Amino acid sequence: MISVIVCTYNQQSTIGRTLESILRQKCHMPFEIIIGNDASTDGTESVCREYAERYPQTIRLFNNEKNKGLIDNYYDCLLETRGEFVSEIAGDDFWTDDQKLEKELRILEENPDVALVHTNWQYFDEASSKNSPSPVKRFTKPLTDGKEMLEAIITQTHSPVIHMCTAMYRKDIVIKAYKNDTYLFRNKDFGCEDLQVCFMCAQEGEIAYIDDVTLSYSINNNSISGNDDFARQFDFVRKTTSLSRYLTNKYFHNTYATDAFFGKRLFAMSMHAFRAHSVEMRDKVRECVKEWEMKLPLKSRIVDFVMSNNALWRMALAFRAPFIYLKKKLR
């Protein structure tokens, strides 16, 4: 009835915790666990294999000989699932509610118009082992017409609108969309695997929400948002924005909110390029402007002007440095 996808890579210290949180689930229908180990180089494979041997009726382990990346790993796992409904969880996160699957399954069984159900969640700091509330704005009603959410999903208004590691969705909706537009799901340059699923489920049905915390979302210093690696941050913003642009052009339409969103993303990319003093990144921003058929916002045009002259660029960086130093000192 239910398939739980676990994509993992080099998570030896946390994957056992993740699997235990799934195995503790109390559900009136059986579930399977599909593990996609993406050619981990640490001890992740041995931990996964140990669990697969202990629970052969529940766990199916797929060890990739070569690293596929999250997108191919996820959708290869999805195509292997046998369940009518699908949940997922990352190999460093864990469910905190042993009724998580049960609560979501009952909603999907009783409401055929519901395409996806999700819940509230919390942060888990690996360094301190402390939980903190999610800053995301909670849903105000248990059922929402998915079409009302499409703009918010594209723009990630509350970032994220739906945390997919809390969700359960109807597999047939996603598989149908996958067959109709495989490029949307398999294009590695889109940078993520979950926004597509959220959007297609919202387009096809209602979205249910349970205001219970069921997930601890792990944060650490290696996350893209938690480091000063401008190249990684730039690439992440560019890829995910390209996905949002594709969804807008093919399945939605431009609105004031989407235009504002893409303008902010272009400015974020421009600033990453500026801080990294990278001509290559600057040129990629210009390419995106043409590809997305947009105009640079005023702030981005100013940054682009500065980056057009290397001497001016270096001067601006030098002028900015003491302010950044003071800002870090005052934290």
Side-chain angles (χ1 to χ4, degrees), residues 181-232:
D181 189 359
T182 304
Y183 176 80
L184 168 63
F185 295 88
R186 287 287 188 171
N187 180 16
K188 292 184 177 64
D189 206 43
F190 283 160
C192 70
E193 85 297 345
D194 52 1
L195 199 66
Q196 303 92 317
V197 175
C198 289
F199 187 92
M200 288 303 169
C201 286
Q203 189 179 55
E204 294 298 322
E206 293 182 316
I207 304 299
Y209 174 68
I210 303 170
D211 196 19
D212 295 340
V213 172
T214 66
L215 172 78
S216 279
Y217 174 59
S218 176
I219 53 174
N220 54 63
N221 292 329
N222 293 321
S223 65
I224 290 174
S225 58
N227 65 58
D228 294 324
D229 187 343
F230 299 129
R232 282 185 73 203

Side-chain angles (χ1 to χ4, degrees), residues 23-208:
L23 292 166
R24 281 196 296 268
Q25 291 296 303
K26 299 172 182 177
C27 191
H28 74 276
M29 285 292 184
F31 59 87
E32 65 171 356
I33 301 172
I34 305 294
I35 304 175
N37 173 38
D38 202 14
S40 295
T41 57
D42 62 356
T44 300
E45 179 182 344
S46 62
V47 175
C48 292
R49 191 175 298 282
E50 177 188 344
Y51 274 90
E53 290 173 354
R54 284 167 56 192
Y55 303 95
Q57 303 301 317
T58 303
I59 297 177
R60 287 193 288 149
L61 171 62
F62 295 90
N63 279 311
N64 302 332
E65 294 183 2
K66 295 182 179 180
N67 186 272
K68 298 178 179 180
L70 178 58
I71 290 176
D72 280 344
N73 191 26
Y74 181 81
Y75 287 110
D76 284 349
C77 286
L78 178 61
L79 295 177
E80 291 289 343
T81 58
R82 297 167 178 162
E84 180 180 352
F85 306 108
V86 177
S87 285
E88 64 182 75
I89 184 168
D92 56 352
D93 300 336
F94 57 97
W95 288 335
T96 57
D97 185 344
D98 62 10
Q99 299 286 316
K100 186 263 187 194
L101 293 181
E102 174 70 9
K103 293 174 181 178
E104 294 177 328
L105 178 60
R106 288 199 177 276
I107 289 176
L108 288 166
E109 286 181 322
E110 296 168 6
N111 300 273
D113 291 335
V114 171
L116 179 149
V117 54
H118 66 114
T119 77
N120 198 357
W121 54 279
Q122 63 191 2
Y123 284 116
F124 178 77
D125 188 291
E126 292 287 355
S128 65
S129 296
K130 292 183 178 179
N131 290 308
S132 58
S134 159
V136 178
K137 181 179 178 181
R138 296 182 178 184
F139 280 64
T140 56
K141 52 185 178 180
L143 282 178
T144 304
D145 183 344
K147 289 184 173 60
E148 295 177 5
M149 295 178 57
L150 296 180
E151 180 182 85
I153 292 172
I154 287 172
T155 61
Q156 291 292 278
T157 305
H158 303 308
S159 188
V161 174
I162 297 172
H163 197 314
M164 284 302 292
C165 288
T166 74
M168 183 184 292
Y169 61 86
R170 297 185 188 275
K171 185 175 72 174
D172 61 338
I173 291 174
V174 177
I175 293 298
K176 180 181 177 181
Y178 175 91
K179 290 178 179 177
N180 288 336
D181 189 359
T182 304
Y183 176 80
L184 168 63
F185 295 88
R186 287 287 188 171
N187 180 16
K188 292 184 177 64
D189 206 43
F190 283 160
C192 70
E193 85 297 345
D194 52 1
L195 199 66
Q196 303 92 317
V197 175
C198 289
F199 187 92
M200 288 303 169
C201 286
Q203 189 179 55
E204 294 298 322
E206 293 182 316
I207 304 299

Side-chain angles (χ1 to χ4, degrees), residues 286 300-309 312:
R286 294 173 176 176
S300 298
R301 292 203 300 272
I302 294 171
V303 176
D304 184 75
F305 173 77
V306 171
M307 293 189 293
S308 297
N309 184 297
L312 182 60

